[in-house]
Each structure stands twice: as structure tokens, then as C-alpha cells.
Amino acid sequence: MSTAASTFQHDATAAAADRPRRDFIRFALSGYFAKRRVTQDAYGDWQAARQAAAEIKFEAVNHLDTYLEEFTRNAEARGTKVFWASNSAQARDYILNLCREKEIRSIVKSKTMTSEEIHLNDALEHAGYGVVESDLGELIVQLRKEAPYHFVFPCMHLKRDEISATFEEKLGSAPTDDPEELTMIARRHLRQEFCRADLGISGANFLIAETGTLSITENEGNARLTAALPRIHVALVGIEKVLPKLADLALLLPMLGTAGAAQLLTAYNSLYGGPRQPGEVDGPEEFHIVLLDNHRTRLLADPEQRDSLHCIRCGACLNVCPIFKNVGGHTYGTTYQGPIGSVITPHLRGLQDWKHLSNASSLCGACTETCPVKIDLHHHLLQNRRNAVAQKPVGWEKALYRGFVFLMNRPGLYRLSGKFSPLGLRLQAVVQGTVLDPLRAWTKTRDLPPAPPKTFKQLWAERRAGGPR
Amino acid sequence: MSEGAPRSDAAAILGRIREALRLPAKPAGAAAPGHAPGSAEIQPWLPHVGPTFDDRVAAFAAQAAVLRAEFFRFPTLAAAAHYVRDLAAQEKWDRAATHDAPLPRALLAEGGVLSWNVAEGYDKQALEAAPVGVTGCEALVAQTGSVLVSSRASGGRALSVLPSHHVVIATADQLVADLPAAFARVTAAYGKDLPSLLSFVTGPSRTGDIERILVLGAHGPKRLTILLVDEAA
């Protein structure tokens, strides 16, 4: 068993046994479900809106080269510097080089999962640059040296006393059990960082080809401050984020808010079209956009699963996923958790090492149903399973199925095996749960039902003979 | 850039994209290939706003209440100025931060509130400590209860987000029905030469990061006050 898979199995077992934490996660999400229903019901036609959103993303992703070139032309015309990075190393090098050239001393970041994907903080810290996460949830997990638990709600697994203890230890604040007071501790701390920082790093939710604009969706205002106060702003963005037209946002901004946070619009939906322009009061002297591939083109090359590049990272598929709710976000060991993470991680990091994520699914389809851009998530999990086996067949499974086919094609042999199976089951009952039990992975947490007194063939023969029903 | 500067990999990425797209994907849902809906099609699927001005005011007020933004409609600028004078006294503003725009300046002058202008340059710490930022806007969006601020109409990027209270003054003609109308207005006003910041501000700054419990004023303003004036003159 590979390392990622065995770690997953180990962590999933531990997380699933932690009943209080599971209850806490369910409770934390209950407000989202109640509010999402109300918000979604206010739409004239949510299903038509989903279809339209899927069509807009389909158009963009299936003409990605055209729209990225158009975006770059229009962004550069406004003085934005656009850098294309094939992989993590190129993106990191560009940002590190910028830090050196511009003699950066202090960096403030607003939430960007793409930077988690390329391990940007580690690289910056290794090079001697301090980086402060400014999103409240991201700050909390950064101070605790943890990974985000959920790519939209990074610290949803933590209780207020745990957060208070972290602030007490790292920021020297007095203990409190009031979420408002905890938020104000972070606000006071981070506002000083914002005034000091000379580089702001952000991600983006959308790129608009038509206008060369970057769009950021947030609630706290930290991304607004990141793009307003430091003298340089760098945005790190996956190539799949591009949309054709400015007006497309009239649909996608509310859908992102609704699916992601059960809000018709989040508090700040901001469009950035370059550095400070002539006649403007403030804003950065320089605005850089790093377009990141990092194996997204591999996903693009699979027409069957290309629609997973439609993802707007709302996180709704995590919220509804029974696996996510039981094994928790950290168990995945990926940048993107939940169903979308299970679909795309094998493409980004290698199918054989990450195929286990596609097996950790009940195939209930809740993810597909909730997705605002209609990604066929649960079928993609099935396709990953199929592709993994086609690429590298499992020896014992193949032998087992060959044996099964052999048996099923020989009625005499099949009848004979029926005679012996009650004996097999009795033997199994003796060794159940021990290392000798061939079914132990299943019977460890479940009882095998007793064998019925008669086989189907026997019952059928009796019925045909007019015997007891 | 220096000699060691990383080289942009545009050609390689575009090459991989074109190679990948040689195999066509199945169109999304039942859509015909190449079909992407326009604003007119999108409009009816979003939350509905009635056709009259009063419908828009009612929708905006309803959204503002849910968002915990403060929304007031006044017949004249003088009435709004009177309200701002009281607000200044209640909150003990020493000086209000504002910008180069006739409407916010007239509001503060008529209300007798001392002000300073960020357009003349500002100290970040001073603006951070300012009790209020008073700005104009591009539009109000009834559908979502949003204020559309911009770097041109709202005094740059920081004024509307750094002080702990944001007061916005808008006129009746700025209240649009919905998001498609807001985008159409911005495009009509600026074409492709958009202000470097456009932001839909929907309620005061908020977070639910701690136990998913709502707290206002995470980073941006704790209070958002929107003043709609029927007659600006």
C-alpha cells in the first residue's frame, strides 16, 4: 500500500472514531444548510442558472488558449504584468525574485488556495521573508502550523477555546470565549501588518478576458486591504479561472456566494484592473498576475473529466459530502479536500498514489446535485477507479474475477460450490475478526448475516415441484 | 528584470492547452456547442426585482436589513446632511475622511462636519484610525443590497474599507435593479477603461470563521450606512 493511501486509511479511522468532533462539524454546517435553502429559493430559476453557469464555464475552458491570450493582452494594456508559470517551481521563483528585486521586507497575504498548492509560504519563509495570512481562518491555522481543514472554511474544525489558546500563546492576548472578541484580537493584530506590508499576495476567483480584470470574492475585507495598501500586489491564479465577459459575473458572483456561503453576494466582490491608474488616489505601483498551469493542462487533456476545470471552488460539495463530514478535511492530505479534491488530485499529483480518494465515496451523488456549475463529480470518481485499474491492474482482483467467470460458466461446478458454502460460512464464523478471517476488512465493523437454510436453486426447484412456498 | 529573472512560459502552456483541446468535450448539459448565455437570458433566473423605483427601494431596504447595513432615504441633501450631523455627534467624529467628489463634500459641508481629503495623499495609520470614511459610489444594487464603489467614484481603494465606519451617499438615479443592470451601467460609463478597483460592497465586513458564528467588522468597516437622496440639488 502506498504512503498516501495508508495515511488516509489511518487518519480516516481515527477521525471517524472522534464522535464529538464529527458532531461539531455537523453542527457548524447546519446554519449553512438552513440559509442556503432560503438564498437559493430566492432565485427566479436556480436550475436554469446552474445550466447557464455550466455553459459559460464550458465556453471558457474549451477555448482556454483564446481567452487567456485575450486576458493577457487586455491586462497588459492597463500596466499589469502577466507571468505564465508551468509549474510550482516557476511560480515560486517568480515571486521570490520579485521580493529580492523590490527589496520586500514585509508580506501580507489574503486567502489563496493556489499558494497552498505550490507551498509558497514555506518557500518565502525559507528565503527569510515573513508572511502573514490575513484571512481570519487562515491566520488561525497558520499560527497553529496546520493545513486548512476546508478550502472555504479553513478553521471550521476548531472550537473557540482552542482558538483563544492559540491567540494567547502566539499573540499574547487575554483568554476569551467570545467569537467577537477573538475576531477583534485578529483585527487589531492584522491592521498593523497591513499598514507595514510592502507586498500583498492574493489569489483570484475569476479572470475576465474581455477587460483584463481579476475578480476576488471575500467577506472580511482583507483582500481589499491586501490590494489597497502594499506598494506591490501579486495575484496567483490557476489558468482555468478565466471567463469570457464582464457580464458573466452577474451570474457567477451570486452563484459562488450562494453555493459557497449561503449568501446572495459575499460582503466584497472586487474587480481589479491594473495597478494604480493616472488620477487615482491610491493602489499599488505594480500589479503582477501569475497564471499557473501545474498539471491543469493534464486535466484539460481528458475530455471526459474536463468539466472539473469548471470548478469555482465554492466548497459546496464538501459541505454535503458524507465522507468529508466523517473523515474530516485533514485526512485527505490534499490542497483541495472533498469530492472535487478526490476528482482532481489524481490528475495533479498522480493517479496511482491518489486513487484511494476515489474509492472513499458512497457514490450518493450529493456533490453532483449541489454543484453550481454542474460538474459530474460522482461519475468522475467512478472514472478515476476505472482508469486506475486500466492503467495498473490489481493481480489478485484479476485472478478473483477470472475464477468467478470460470465458476459461473459451469453450472455443475456452481451447484457443487453451493453445497460447500454453508460449511465455508461456518468456518468463517469460527475465525471471524481474527487474522485468519479472509473477510476481516469487512467483518471488523460488521456482522456477516447467517446463511439461509436453503439456496435459491433449492427453493426454486421446490416451487416448480409444487412444494411449500 | 535582472539576468536571473524567470522566463514566462506562455508558449509552452498555450502549446499544451491546444494539444489538450484537440479532443472535443461533450457540451455541458443539453446546450448546443458554442452557446453561452448573455445578460438578457440570465436576468430572469436571478432573484426578481419589481419594475418601479419604489420596488427597487423596497428590495434594497429588505436586503440591507438582512445584511445589517443601515439604509435611509431622504427627500433632499439637506435632510441627509442633518442626519449626518447627528451621527457625527453620536459617534464623536473628530474629522471625517472623504475625497474629491461634489456629493460627499456637499453632504459634510452642509452637515457642518469637519473633513479631510484623501486625494491630497494620506498616512495609512491616520486613515486606519479615522472614525469614518464618507464616499460616493457608482451605483446601488437593489437585488443584492450592494453598494458598487470604485477607485474613481469612491476616493481610491482604501477610503471605503479602512475606516471603521463607511458612509455612502447616493442619488435616486444611481439605484439600479439588479447585477446585470449594474454591469451594463459600468460598461456604459467607462467602456473598457474601467477604474482599477470596482467593488460590490454587500453589508459591513463580516466573518463566520469561528464556529460559523457571524461577527461584523472582521477587517473592513464594522458599520455601513447608506444614504439615498431623492433630489441632490
Side-chain angles (χ1 to χ4, degrees):
Chain A
M1 201 180 267
S2 63
T3 322
S6 55
T7 308
F8 179 88
Q9 197 127 50
H10 173 267
D11 293 356
T13 308
D18 186 352
R19 190 64 191 267
R21 188 73 64 178
R22 276 168 49 197
D23 289 344
F24 179 72
I25 296 295
R26 274 167 204 277
F27 179 74
L29 286 170
S30 59
Y32 164 86
F33 289 121
K35 226 179 127 204
R36 170 149 181 196
R37 174 157 296 177
V38 174
T39 310
Q40 198 172 299
D41 284 352
Y43 280 65
D45 188 341
W46 172 257
Q47 293 306 333
R50 280 179 86 209
Q51 178 63 27
E55 285 167 17
I56 289 169
K57 288 293 295 193
F58 181 90
E59 166 67 21
V61 166
N62 284 280
H63 302 89
L64 197 54
D65 51 339
T66 316
Y67 289 121
L68 283 173
E69 284 185 307
E70 186 185 349
F71 171 80
T72 304
R73 253 194 328 273
N74 288 323
E76 286 175 345
R78 302 289 304 270
T80 304
K81 297 193 168 72
V82 180
F83 181 81
W84 301 56
S86 278
N87 52 44
S88 307
Q90 284 180 3
R92 286 193 303 260
D93 286 350
Y94 182 78
I95 295 171
L96 282 170
N97 190 63
L98 192 68
C99 289
R100 278 191 294 271
E101 281 207 344
K102 304 294 170 186
E103 294 172 2
I104 296 301
R105 282 190 297 273
S106 178
I107 305 173
V108 70
K109 254 179 87 197
S110 69
K111 190 171 164 49
T112 148
M113 293 313 295
T114 318
S115 79
E116 302 276 345
E117 186 184 324
I118 68 164
H119 303 291
L120 182 61
N121 286 8
D122 289 347
L124 287 167
E125 278 160 15
H126 190 72
Y129 298 100
V131 192
V132 179
E133 290 289 350
S134 62
D135 174 87
L136 178 58
E138 291 283 342
L139 172 73
I140 292 166
V141 295
Q142 185 191 32
L143 291 175
R144 295 171 64 89
K145 300 195 188 328
E146 281 181 20
Y149 188 85
H150 178 302
F151 60 74
V152 176
F153 313 136
C155 72
M156 67 174 301
H157 61 302
L158 295 172
K159 298 179 182 176
R160 61 187 82 180
D161 54 311
E162 295 169 296
I163 294 165
S164 174
T166 302
F167 282 179
E168 202 180 338
E169 187 197 332
K170 306 282 181 174
L171 305 178
S173 60
T176 171
D177 63 357
D178 179 8
E180 179 157 7
E181 181 48 33
L182 287 168
T183 304
M184 292 310 130
I185 292 166
R187 177 183 169 109
R188 284 191 293 271
H189 169 68
L190 288 168
R191 285 199 151 219
Q192 293 317 306
E193 298 290 345
F194 274 120
C195 289
R196 233 157 41 100
D198 39 20
L199 175 67
I201 300 177
S202 76
N205 298 88
F206 303 103
L207 302 169
I208 308 301
E210 181 183 40
T211 53
T213 306
L214 177 115
S215 173
I216 301 181
T217 294
E218 54 151 348
N219 264 314
E220 296 182 359
N222 59 315
R224 285 277 312 267
L225 292 169
T226 301
L229 298 177
R231 64 186 160 87
I232 299 173
H233 175 197
V234 181
L236 180 64
V237 193
I239 51 172
E240 82 283 14
K241 298 281 184 200
V242 73
L243 294 177
K245 297 193 300 286
L246 189 65
D248 293 336
L249 291 175
L251 183 70
L252 284 156
L253 294 179
M255 293 192 77
L256 175 57
T258 302
Q263 293 167 273
L264 186 51
L265 273 189
T266 64
Y268 301 99
N269 283 274
S270 310
L271 315 181
Y272 295 99
R276 177 182 185 173
Q277 299 293 301
E280 291 186 344
V281 172
D282 55 9
E285 299 155 18
E286 289 185 20
F287 181 33
H288 299 252
I289 295 177
V290 179
L291 296 175
L292 182 69
D293 176 352
N294 209 25
H295 303 313
R296 284 165 174 76
T297 43
R298 242 194 240 166
L299 203 44
L300 191 72
D302 180 352
E304 199 174 48
Q305 296 193 34
R306 188 175 292 160
D307 72 352
S308 53
L309 289 171
H310 296 187
C311 177
I312 57 174
R313 299 285 187 270
C314 69
C317 60
L318 280 66
N319 301 343
V320 301
C321 179
I323 307 300
F324 175 83
K325 283 189 272 199
N326 285 318
V327 306
H330 287 150
T331 299
Y332 288 83
T334 56
T335 308
Y336 307 103
Q337 309 82 9
I340 185 67
S342 300
V343 168
I344 66 175
T345 304
H347 294 263
L348 305 180
R349 296 200 198 167
L351 179 58
Q352 292 307 324
D353 287 341
W354 296 93
K355 62 184 178 188
H356 58 280
L357 297 178
S358 301
N359 292 316
S361 162
S362 64
L363 299 178
C364 69
C367 46
T368 306
E369 195 177 287
T370 201
C371 178
V373 291
K374 294 181 89 169
I375 301 171
D376 198 2
L377 287 157
H378 69 295
H379 284 111
H380 293 339
L381 293 172
L382 274 177
Q383 289 151 5
N384 278 345
R385 294 181 189 183
R386 179 202 63 202
N387 295 347
V389 173
Q391 192 185 69
K392 193 180 163 199
V394 181
W396 65 265
E397 271 184 10
K398 254 182 118 170
L400 198 69
Y401 281 113
R402 254 197 221 121
F404 179 74
V405 169
F406 183 82
L407 188 68
M408 294 309 276
N409 281 325
R410 287 164 183 77
L413 204 57
Y414 181 83
R415 261 197 304 280
L416 194 66
S417 75
K419 293 222 163 61
F420 284 105
S421 55
L423 178 69
L425 283 171
R426 270 202 297 280
L427 283 173
Q428 194 276 334
V430 175
V431 297
Q432 175 152 341
T434 72
V435 286
L436 294 173
D437 182 359
L439 303 175
R440 70 182 172 281
W442 175 263
T443 56
K444 208 156 55 175
T445 52
R446 299 170 186 85
D447 290 326
L448 199 65
K454 288 174 183 168
T455 67
F456 176 78
K457 273 182 175 274
Q458 284 168 336
L459 289 172
W460 185 251
E462 283 173 11
R463 186 189 165 119
R464 293 286 293 267
R469 297 263 158 122
Chain B
M1 288 258 172
S2 67
E3 264 192 14
R7 296 265 297 275
S8 186
D9 227 0
I13 295 176
L14 285 167
R16 284 197 295 273
I17 292 172
R18 288 182 185 128
E19 182 61 33
L21 289 176
R22 283 171 57 184
L23 286 170
K26 212 172 75 198
H35 175 265
S39 311
E41 284 172 83
I42 288 168
Q43 202 168 28
W45 304 331
L46 295 173
H48 179 71
V49 178
T52 69
F53 178 71
D54 285 339
D55 291 335
R56 296 201 287 278
V57 172
F60 192 94
Q63 287 292 340
V66 172
L67 295 163
R68 298 213 235 158
E70 296 151 45
F71 171 60
F72 303 99
R73 182 182 173 189
F74 298 101
T76 60
L77 186 68
H82 188 82
Y83 178 79
V84 168
R85 181 204 301 266
D86 290 347
L87 202 58
Q90 261 171 40
E91 287 205 308
K92 300 189 175 61
W93 299 344
D94 50 349
R95 285 191 311 161
T98 189
H99 61 109
D100 270 335
L103 203 55
R105 295 182 74 85
L107 177 78
L108 291 168
E110 208 161 326
V113 179
L114 288 177
S115 67
W116 61 287
N117 184 351
V118 292
E120 289 158 9
Y122 64 87
D123 173 58
K124 291 176 192 174
Q125 295 284 357
L127 189 59
E128 196 277 319
V132 65
V134 180
T135 77
C137 65
E138 297 284 351
L140 301 181
V141 187
Q143 186 175 52
T144 55
S146 307
V147 181
L148 178 57
V149 299
S150 79
S151 43
R152 285 191 213 162
S154 314
R157 298 190 182 194
L159 179 62
S160 56
V161 76
L162 198 49
S164 60
H165 187 170
H166 179 202
V167 175
V168 185
I169 175 94
T171 52
D173 61 306
Q174 288 185 303
L175 178 61
V176 301
D178 52 21
L179 288 168
F183 280 105
R185 173 174 286 234
V186 164
T187 306
Y190 297 106
K192 270 179 124 184
D193 187 25
L194 298 173
S196 78
L197 165 76
L198 279 163
S199 184
F200 291 89
V201 177
T202 309
S205 160
R206 58 193 58 220
T207 186
D209 272 349
I210 300 172
E211 298 191 9
R212 313 294 320 134
I213 294 166
L214 177 68
V215 175
L216 298 183
H219 285 285
K222 297 175 187 177
R223 282 182 76 179
L224 172 64
T225 305
I226 301 145
L227 310 175
L228 178 66
V229 177
D230 287 351
E231 281 171 53

